[in-house]
């Protein structure tokens, strides 16, 4: 079964850091781009960051550029999101999502598999 | 403010058809056939419904269809059923600077 399981969320004070992880199983992880998409409480979906299959293409939303860093470890089938200088507006459920197309030249074709999310709350 | 514009809500009766529009620009929807649609029920993760404008993943009902004209994409649901009541989001590739944009979401109510 194809599965994505996020972890690492929690309550953190503004200005502090947090590292999210996503464990993948059931597919050849190093063939696919991976992404983080977030959803603030009661709001819509917002793409945060993506990384292609071999890590040579990486993108960030303007709202997190310079503060967040995406990475992957293909030997451990894992995706990560290092979040620094967190702000109240970063409070959201963070989903890990898989690209539908292997070796995708465009970084994203579509998000065909989603995890259940990990909640990040930034508050003093 | 989302990059793609969707109506906040649509509604229809069981058996009817509805269409949800998603308006972007020549930098996203207008330039790439990489529009996708997602269904999200309350408290659940989004579900992949349509990709590359009009392709349906295996397991998705053929009552769901997608299309695109210029800078606007559309999702049509025919033969509305109670279980279709959910939020729907459009998404598009937007080039190598912005990469990905989502619509603000549309709440579908089945009357």
């Amino acid at each position: 079964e194809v599965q994505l399981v996020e972890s690492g969320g929690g309550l953190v004070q503004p200005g502090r850091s947090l590292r999210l992880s996503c464990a993948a199983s059931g597919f050849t992880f190093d063939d696919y781009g991976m992404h983080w998409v977030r959803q603030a409480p009661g709001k819509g979906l917002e793409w945060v960051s993506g990384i292609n299959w071999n890590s040579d293409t990486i993108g960030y939303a303007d709202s997190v550029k310079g503060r967040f860093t995406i990475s992957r470890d293909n030997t451990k089938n894992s995706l990560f999101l290092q979040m620094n200088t967190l702000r109240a507006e970063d409070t959201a459920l963070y989903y890990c999502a898989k690209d539908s197309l292997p070796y995708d030249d465009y970084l994203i074709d579509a998000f065909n598999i989603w995890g259940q999310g990990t909640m990040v709350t930034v508050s003093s | 403010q989302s990059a793609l514009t969707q109506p906040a809500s649509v509604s229809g009766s069981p058996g009817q058809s509805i269409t949800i529009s998603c308006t972007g620009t020549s930098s996203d929807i207008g330039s790439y056939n990489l529009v996708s649609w997602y269904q999200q029920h309350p408290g659940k993760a989004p579900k992949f419904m349509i990709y590359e404008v009009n392709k349906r993943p295996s397991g998705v009902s053929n009552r769901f269809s997608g299309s695109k004209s210029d800078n606007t994409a559309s999702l049509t649901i025919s033969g509305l059923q109670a279980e279709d009541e959910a939020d729907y989001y459009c998404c598009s590739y937007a080039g190598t600077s912005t990469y990905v944009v989502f619509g603000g979401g549309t709440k579908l109510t089945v009357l």
Side-chain angles (χ1 to χ4, degrees):
Chain A
E1 179 192 5
V2 177
Q3 194 172 14
L4 299 172
V5 179
E6 303 92 338
S7 60
L11 174 63
V12 62
Q13 293 179 328
R16 303 297 291 264
S17 299
L18 209 57
R19 188 188 195 217
L20 305 184
S21 299
C22 171
S25 59
F27 65 98
T28 306
F29 182 73
D30 49 8
D31 286 353
Y32 292 89
M34 297 294 298
H35 297 259
W36 292 98
V37 177
R38 69 185 181 183
Q39 187 169 34
K43 302 297 184 183
L45 301 173
E46 180 189 15
W47 177 76
V48 174
S49 182
I51 183 169
N52 79 329
W53 60 280
N54 65 356
S55 302
D56 71 0
T57 301
I58 288 176
Y60 297 97
D62 286 345
S63 57
V64 307
K65 205 170 289 185
R67 300 187 299 122
F68 289 12
T69 302
I70 192 172
S71 61
R72 63 189 296 161
D73 184 341
N74 287 348
T75 67
K76 296 181 179 178
N77 290 352
S78 293
L79 176 72
F80 306 100
L81 186 68
Q82 178 66 42
M83 304 186 296
N84 298 332
T85 319
L86 282 160
R87 305 167 179 166
E89 54 264 36
D90 295 319
T91 293
L93 184 63
Y94 284 72
Y95 291 105
C96 170
K98 170 186 166 293
D99 190 359
S100 58
L101 195 67
Y103 310 117
D104 192 348
D105 291 332
Y106 287 98
L107 185 62
I108 182 62
D109 185 271
F111 304 107
N112 70 332
I113 302 294
W114 297 68
Q116 288 304 304
T118 187
M119 186 68 201
V120 173
T121 303
V122 184
S123 174
S124 54
Chain B
Q1 183 177 352
S2 302
L4 303 178
T5 300
Q6 298 180 233
S9 62
V10 298
S11 62
S13 299
Q16 287 186 331
S17 294
I18 63 95
T19 296
I20 299 172
S21 62
C22 171
T23 302
T25 70
S26 58
S27 297
D28 38 67
I29 293 176
S31 288
Y32 307 97
N33 289 324
L34 293 174
V35 177
S36 51
W37 289 88
Y38 304 88
Q39 176 192 65
Q40 187 179 35
H41 287 108
K44 300 295 187 182
K47 178 185 175 184
F48 174 49
M49 303 299 287
I50 295 286
Y51 68 106
E52 293 176 10
V53 176
N54 56 13
K55 297 179 182 177
R56 244 185 345 267
S58 61
V60 172
S61 170
N62 60 9
R63 298 186 298 106
F64 292 83
S65 62
S67 62
K68 187 186 92 165
S69 176
D70 296 328
N71 298 337
T72 298
S74 299
L75 174 71
T76 298
I77 309 173
S78 59
L80 270 179
Q81 299 179 1
E83 65 255 34
D84 298 332
E85 186 163 292
D87 293 325
Y88 291 85
Y89 294 91
C90 61
C91 178
S92 175
Y93 179 72
T96 57
S97 177
T98 304
Y99 284 109
V100 181
V101 288
F102 275 100
T106 297
K107 181 176 181 59
L108 169 62
T109 301
V110 180
L111 301 170

